[in-house]
């Protein structure tokens, strides 16, 4: 099996050999697992730079995503399957395949398909997506019951986390932290901790070359509490930050998708309790009062009370954290996730092969079978012509 994996532009991933070195040195999450297990070429900015000269010249004038889509379309026949790790890429790719009448095993891993524009596009192009993999039960329900995509094509998997990299580390806990950029409600967090003596670092910044409005808001504040610091972290620095934090806060803006899940899983894998905003979409991971605490949206008073409670009850925070770690080991390991995705892709490839054989019909038969079939057809045709001539003496052979 050879696959092509399309990934969103802007991912600051090291060059392949350096990535393997960092993983072996425990300085980077095991990001190579997918490519190795699925025998994938990764279609990113580096891949585009290796395209033939004429295409490279064209790609310089196009947005990166458009270039990725065109390159995927050009080279698709070299691969057994295409895998898109983002609806930003997967939906336009499915549209391109549909418009050109192309059939190639195509798998999309998506997170937020209920956004109106994405939903409309998905409804029209899912015919050219063989499997839609979702990690949110709310999004799965939307795909099946609102968009009416056949349930057999939609797979619900649990979000993965590298439980070996993100692991409990013994050290003093003298602070808390908040992590992530997209759909974060840091203004409510700042209001909640204002006046407290608890130090808090917000690990956020530009993500995939995008500065989210939530980060711009707090960066433009005229004054921040002296206990709050803001700045993006490398993987190893973020792991150290989790370790120093008594618990982790994930304040979210209301939405119907599971924003914050990656950060929640990392924190739980580190053995940390999590305080999280209760939203419509964030329902699959955190267990209230068992592995963390849910608080209402945009409620600084409730968030402050939860922060003070866990800070003043470290044994309770530790109990929740250990329960979270156990839950990760049982349900969210990256090893299990990779194997599930691999099995899905292999199944899609086999289904495509079966369809190809069936659609060939006669032309897919062996030479002997074809000769015998043509011989029988020829006999029947001759017999039918004779019968027709007898019934109509004026009929000409050219009519047949």
């Amino acid at each position: 099996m050879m696959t092509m994996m399309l990934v969103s532009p802007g991912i600051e991933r090291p060059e392949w050999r350096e990535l393997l070195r960092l993983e072996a040195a425990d300085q980077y999450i095991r990001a190579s697992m997918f490519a190795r297990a699925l025998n994938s070429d990764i279609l990113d900015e580096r891949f585009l730079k290796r395209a033939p000269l004429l295409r490279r010249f064209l790609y310089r004038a196009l947005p990166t995503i458009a270039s990725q889509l065109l390159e995927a379309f050009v080279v698709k026949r070299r691969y057994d399957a295409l895998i898109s790790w983002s609806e930003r890429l997967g939906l336009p790719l499915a549209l391109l395949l549909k418009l050109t009448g192309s059939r190639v095993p195509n798998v999309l891993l998506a997170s937020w398909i209920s956004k109106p524009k994405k939903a409309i596009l998905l409804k029209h192009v899912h015919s050219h997506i063989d499997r839609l993999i979702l990690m949110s039960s709310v999004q799965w329900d939307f795909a099946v019951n609102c968009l009416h995509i056949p349930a057999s094509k939609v797979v619900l998997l649990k979000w993965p986390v590298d439980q070996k990299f993100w692991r409990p580390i013994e050290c003093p806990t003298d602070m808390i932290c908040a992590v992530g950029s997209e759909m974060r409600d840091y203004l409510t967090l700042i209001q909640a901790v204002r006046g407290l003596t608890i130090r808090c670092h917000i690990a956020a910044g530009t993500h995939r070359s995008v500065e989210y409005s939530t980060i711009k808001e707090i960066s433009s504040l005229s004054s921040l509490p002296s206990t709050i610091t803001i700045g993006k972290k490398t993987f190893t620095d973020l792991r150290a930050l989790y370790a120093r934090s008594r618990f982790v806060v994930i304040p979210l803006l209301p939405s119907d998708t599971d924003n914050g899940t990656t950060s929640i899983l990392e924190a739980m894998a580190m053995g940390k309790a999590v305080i999280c905003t209760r939203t419509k979409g964030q329902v699959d991971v955190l267990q209230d009062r068992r592995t963390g605490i849910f608080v209402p949206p945009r409620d600084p008073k409730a968030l402050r009370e939860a922060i003070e409670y866990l800070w003043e009850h470290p044994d309770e925070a530790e109990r929740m954290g250990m329960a979270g770690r156990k839950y990760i080991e049982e349900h969210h390991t990256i090893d299990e996730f990779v194997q599930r995705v691999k099995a899905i892709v292999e199944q899609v490839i086999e289904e495509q092969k079966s369809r190809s054989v069936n659609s060939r019909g006669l032309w897919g038969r062996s030479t002997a079978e074809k000769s015998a079939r043509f011989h029988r057809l020829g006999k029947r045709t001759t017999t039918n012509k004779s019968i027709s001539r007898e019934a109509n003496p004026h009929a000409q052979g050219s009519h047949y």
Side-chain angles (χ1 to χ4, degrees), residues 97-349:
L97 294 175
K98 184 172 184 176
L99 292 175
T100 57
S102 302
R103 296 299 312 190
V104 58
N106 187 25
V107 177
L108 168 59
L109 295 95
S111 57
W112 197 352
I113 60 167
S114 59
K115 283 187 173 182
K117 291 181 180 179
K118 292 180 181 179
I120 293 171
L121 182 55
L122 177 57
K123 187 173 183 178
H124 288 88
V125 304
H126 71 78
S127 59
H128 283 66
I129 298 173
D130 295 280
R131 287 296 186 281
L132 174 63
I133 300 176
L134 298 169
M135 279 74 79
S136 162
S137 61
V138 174
Q139 297 295 299
W140 184 94
D141 182 73
F142 180 84
V144 173
N145 296 315
C146 295
L147 299 183
H148 305 294
I149 300 175
S152 59
K153 291 179 60 174
V154 188
V155 182
L156 179 62
L157 296 184
K158 294 183 181 296
W159 274 101
V161 64
D162 185 354
Q163 79 286 353
K164 292 185 178 180
F165 183 87
W166 308 109
R167 61 186 183 274
I169 297 174
E170 289 291 333
C171 75
T173 55
D174 57 356
M175 62 181 302
I176 63 175
C177 71
V179 181
S181 300
E182 187 176 12
M183 294 297 289
R184 297 303 196 267
D185 186 9
Y186 287 132
L187 293 180
T188 295
L189 173 61
I190 291 169
Q191 287 181 325
V193 301
R194 193 177 292 276
L196 297 180
T197 58
I198 303 170
R199 288 196 301 146
C200 176
H201 182 82
I202 298 175
T206 302
H207 181 63
R208 294 182 181 178
S209 303
V210 175
E211 185 178 15
Y212 289 99
S213 59
T214 52
I215 308 305
K216 291 180 181 178
E217 287 177 343
I218 59 175
S219 300
S220 62
L221 289 176
S222 57
S223 65
L224 281 174
S226 60
T227 54
I228 290 183
T229 53
I230 303 172
K232 194 175 179 180
K233 298 287 186 180
T234 65
F235 282 124
T236 51
D237 288 341
L238 182 57
R239 182 170 58 184
L241 177 66
Y242 281 134
R244 285 186 58 189
S245 300
R246 188 166 298 180
F247 52 88
V248 178
V249 183
I250 308 295
L252 300 173
L253 296 170
S255 75
D256 64 347
T257 191
D258 53 354
N259 292 115
T261 296
T262 298
S263 302
I264 293 171
L265 293 177
E266 291 170 356
M268 290 171 64
M270 294 286 298
K272 300 298 176 178
V274 178
I275 298 174
C276 180
T277 308
R278 186 186 292 276
T279 65
K280 181 180 178 181
Q282 188 50 260
V283 297
D284 296 318
V285 178
L286 196 66
Q287 296 168 295
D288 195 27
R289 301 291 166 174
R290 183 170 182 268
T291 59
I293 299 175
F294 275 123
V295 295
R298 296 187 171 119
D299 190 336
K301 182 175 182 293
L303 181 55
R304 183 187 184 98
E305 289 174 354
I307 290 172
E308 289 183 311
Y309 174 77
L310 283 187
W311 185 260
E312 294 167 1
H313 297 82
D315 292 344
E316 181 70 358
E318 184 177 0
R319 180 193 67 78
M320 290 182 178
M322 290 302 99
R325 173 66 191 188
K326 185 173 184 293
Y327 184 79
I328 292 296
E329 292 173 342
E330 293 174 351
H331 300 285
H332 289 274
T333 67
I334 191 173
D335 308 78
E336 174 66 18
F337 183 83
V338 169
Q339 290 307 309
R340 291 288 305 278
V341 173
K342 180 181 179 183
I344 290 168
V345 173
E346 289 175 340
Q347 183 180 20
V348 165
I349 292 171

Side-chain angles (χ1 to χ4, degrees), residues 17 61 93 237 246 267 374:
R17 289 184 181 178
L93 177 61
D237 288 341
R246 188 166 298 180
F374 277 121

